[in-house]
């Protein structure tokens, strides 16, 4: 039946459109989920960076403890509390965000962090420094793993990827080198009566060179940000100047066996540099977070527009199909009734199919055919009537003709 054929055509037309709409919506939804996972990873990275900074502070305090300096103004116990709080925060984050699948790796890193901040003196404290360096390496590895599993390393947008690359790949090692140089330098100056050992001098000069190298590598990423057309890093120049000045101060001070700089001055300089570097770290994470928020907003708007477009398009398509169905089937039904009436001999049927399409043309043709058939039937009936009349006249005249014919011989 024609109805079935029209329904099949509608299904064949609508099914690819529905599949395309579903695929497009799933694509956008997948991207949105990916960005949300990146946002989760960015939050975890921020917590890891904060924990790393606290661990660096603990290293400086432990280094001073080794040389017999009295308990500093910021005691190790308070810093250890901050480390414990940061570790607990990371655990809560990873438990509430299972999509990263990092709980197992974090538990291993957490044990190394706890071992690094355990109380100890003498040899135990020396061992603590080595464990703190090991914990820092573990945190850096966890940060890279977090960036990888959250998709941040695969982000193609410079606005979110480059600040994160600066924070995790360059700033974290730079801050670790700065903290290590501060700890070793302050400890060496606190024990200046014995002089700076060649090993300490070599280590400090090596750290100064490492800071310079890490600054140059980080500058490459900052230049990439500038070339990509993004706003410049506000805190970067100040941090570079402070870090470069700190490295120069290390080379100048520890070039002598008995440096003249006070330990408190070097500690203050180190804290200032670390604070400037931390500001760059905070700005990097904030810029990445803003970029991801903008991407999320854009994808949400795109999802709403696509959904609205597909729903409106589907409703319009359904309306047009129903209108076509009613018009077409109405015309077909009228045409069927008219032809059936003609077949039954009713030539007075008039088919009314408005419009200019093919069905309207067929309707007008059928009406014309009915008119011609009606005229032809009328002519046939008129001719039959005339023939009948002529026959009657012939029949009436035949007796008179016979009578006249019979009368002629007698005359």
């Amino acid at each position: 039946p024609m109805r079935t054929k029209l329904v099949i055509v509608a299904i064949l037309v609508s099914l690819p459109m529905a599949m395309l709409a579903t695929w497009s919506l799933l694509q956008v939804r997948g991207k949105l989920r990916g960005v949300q996972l990146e946002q989760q990873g960015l939050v975890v990275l921020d917590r890891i960076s904060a924990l790393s900074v606290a661990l660096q502070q603990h290293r400086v305090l432990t280094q001073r403890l080794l040389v017999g300096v009295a308990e500093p103004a910021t005691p190790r116990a308070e810093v250890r509390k901050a480390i414990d709080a940061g570790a607990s925060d990371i655990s809560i984050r990873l438990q509430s965000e299972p999509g990263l699948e990092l709980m197992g790796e974090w538990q291993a890193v957490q044990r190394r962090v706890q071992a690094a901040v355990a109380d100890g003196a003498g040899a135990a404290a020396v061992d603590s420094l080595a464990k703190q360096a090991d914990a820092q390496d573990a945190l850096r590895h966890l940060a890279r793993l977090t960036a990888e599993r959250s998709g941040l390393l695969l982000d193609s947008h410079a606005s979110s990827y480059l600040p994160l690359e600066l924070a995790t790949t360059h700033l974290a090692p730079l801050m670790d080198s700065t903290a290590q140089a501060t700890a070793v330098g302050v400890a060496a100056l606190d024990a200046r009566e014995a002089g700076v050992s060649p090993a300490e001098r070599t280590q400090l000069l090596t750290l100064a060179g490492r800071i310079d190298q890490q600054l140059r590598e980080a500058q490459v990423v900052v230049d990439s940000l500038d070339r990509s057309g993004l706003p410049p890093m506000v805190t970067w120049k100040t941090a570079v100047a402070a870090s470069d000045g700190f490295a120069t101060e290390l080379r100048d001070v520890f070039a002598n066996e008995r440096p003249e700089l006070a330990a408190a001055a070097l500690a203050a300089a180190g804290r200032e540099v670390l604070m400037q570097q931390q500001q760059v770290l905070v700005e990097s994470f904030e810029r990445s977070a803003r970029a991801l928020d903008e991407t999320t907003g854009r994808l949400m708007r795109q999802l709403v527009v696509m959904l609205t477009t597909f729903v409106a398009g589907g409703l319009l398509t359904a309306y047009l199909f129903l209108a076509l169905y009613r018009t077409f089937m109405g015309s077909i039904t009228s045409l069927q009734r008219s032809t059936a009436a003609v077949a039954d001999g009713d030539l007075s049927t008039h088919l009314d199919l408005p419009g200019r399409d093919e069905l309207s043309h067929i309707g007008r043709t059928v009406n014309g055919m009915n008119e011609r058939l009606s005229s032809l039937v009328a002519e046939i009936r008129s001719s039959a009537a005339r023939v009948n009349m002529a026959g009657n006249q012939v029949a009436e005249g035949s007796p008179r003709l016979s009578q006249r014919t019979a009368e002629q011989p007698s005359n």
Side-chain angles (χ1 to χ4, degrees):
M2 184 59 66
R3 288 184 175 86
T4 304
K5 293 180 181 178
L6 287 176
V7 171
I8 292 175
V9 171
I11 292 174
L12 292 177
V13 172
S14 302
L15 187 60
M17 294 176 60
M19 292 177 63
L20 178 61
T22 303
W23 179 81
S24 301
L25 291 174
L26 289 177
Q27 287 287 105
V28 176
R29 186 179 179 185
K31 291 180 181 179
L32 188 59
R33 287 182 176 177
V35 174
Q36 291 172 347
L37 186 62
E38 289 182 33
Q39 290 175 319
Q40 295 174 4
L42 189 64
V43 172
V44 174
L45 283 174
D46 183 50
R47 302 301 187 272
I48 292 174
S49 298
L51 179 59
S52 178
V53 171
L55 197 60
Q56 290 163 0
Q57 295 174 354
H58 192 272
R59 172 187 290 179
V60 175
L61 298 175
T62 302
Q63 190 80 37
R64 298 193 70 183
L65 179 66
L66 282 174
V67 296
V69 178
E71 189 72 11
T74 305
R76 293 171 70 238
E78 294 183 6
V79 177
R80 188 162 57 249
K81 288 181 180 179
I83 292 174
D84 292 339
S88 177
D89 190 16
I90 293 176
S91 298
I92 293 173
R93 287 286 178 180
L94 292 179
Q95 288 174 354
S96 62
E97 297 166 357
L100 297 174
E101 299 180 352
L102 287 170
M103 199 61 196
E105 289 81 355
W106 161 243
Q107 289 175 349
V109 174
Q110 187 177 18
R111 287 192 293 269
R112 295 162 78 172
V113 171
Q114 291 172 346
V117 299
D119 287 328
V126 175
D127 184 56
S128 177
L129 287 176
K131 290 180 179 179
Q132 288 179 23
D134 179 66
Q136 288 286 7
D137 291 338
L139 285 174
R140 282 197 292 271
H141 176 70
L142 182 65
R144 296 292 293 181
L145 199 59
T146 302
E148 177 187 354
R149 293 193 181 177
S150 64
L152 286 166
L153 287 181
L154 304 176
D155 198 326
S156 59
H157 297 90
S159 57
S160 55
Y161 171 74
L162 289 178
L164 181 68
E165 176 72 11
L166 178 65
T168 58
T169 305
H170 301 286
L171 282 176
L174 176 62
M175 294 178 68
D176 187 60
S177 298
T178 303
Q180 187 176 355
T182 303
V184 175
V186 169
L189 293 175
D190 281 333
R192 69 174 63 195
E193 291 79 6
V196 180
S197 67
E200 290 175 331
R201 183 183 301 109
T202 301
Q203 183 181 7
L204 287 166
L205 295 178
T206 300
L207 287 171
R210 187 184 301 171
I211 290 173
D212 289 335
Q213 177 64 26
Q214 290 166 342
L215 282 174
R216 288 193 294 270
E217 293 174 354
Q219 186 64 50
V220 174
V221 180
V222 175
D223 292 340
S224 298
L225 274 169
D226 295 337
R227 286 194 298 271
S228 63
L230 298 172
M233 297 287 293
V234 177
T235 57
W236 174 246
K237 290 185 178 180
T238 304
V240 169
S243 302
D244 186 63
F246 183 71
T248 301
E249 187 176 24
L250 286 176
R251 282 189 290 267
D252 294 342
V253 169
F254 292 100
N256 302 319
E257 293 185 2
R258 293 186 176 276
E260 299 298 328
L261 184 67
L266 183 62
R271 285 195 298 270
E272 177 65 22
V273 174
L274 283 172
M275 185 179 67
Q276 296 295 336
Q277 293 171 351
Q278 190 174 1
Q279 289 178 356
V280 179
L281 188 70
V282 170
E283 183 183 0
S284 299
F285 280 121
E286 287 178 350
R287 291 184 64 155
S288 294
R290 283 197 302 270
L292 291 177
D293 288 341
E294 291 174 359
T295 302
T296 301
R298 187 181 70 252
L299 289 174
M300 286 297 295
R301 290 191 297 270
Q302 183 178 353
L303 186 63
V304 170
V305 170
M306 290 178 65
L307 188 60
T308 304
T309 302
F310 290 143
V311 170
L315 293 176
L316 180 61
T317 302
Y319 171 77
L320 293 176
F321 173 75
L322 290 176
L324 175 64
Y325 179 84
R326 292 186 61 184
T327 302
F328 184 78
M329 290 305 301
S331 300
I332 290 293
T333 302
S334 298
L335 184 60
Q336 186 178 12
R337 285 199 301 265
S338 178
T339 52
V342 172
D344 291 338
D346 184 6
L347 299 179
S348 63
T349 301
H350 180 76
L351 189 60
D352 186 15
L353 296 179
R356 298 182 180 179
D357 56 4
E358 288 78 2
L359 287 176
S360 299
H361 179 70
I362 292 174
R364 289 190 293 271
T365 302
V366 170
N367 288 334
M369 180 185 68
N370 287 345
E371 292 175 359
R372 286 191 295 274
L373 286 175
S374 181
S375 299
L376 181 61
V377 169
E379 290 177 2
I380 292 174
R381 288 176 178 175
S382 177
S383 298
R386 288 195 296 271
V387 170
N388 187 35
M389 184 181 298
N392 291 334
Q393 290 176 353
V394 170
E396 292 176 355
S398 293
R400 291 194 297 268
L401 180 62
S402 298
Q403 184 178 0
R404 288 195 298 268
T405 303
E407 290 176 353
Q408 285 178 357
S410 61
N411 294 328

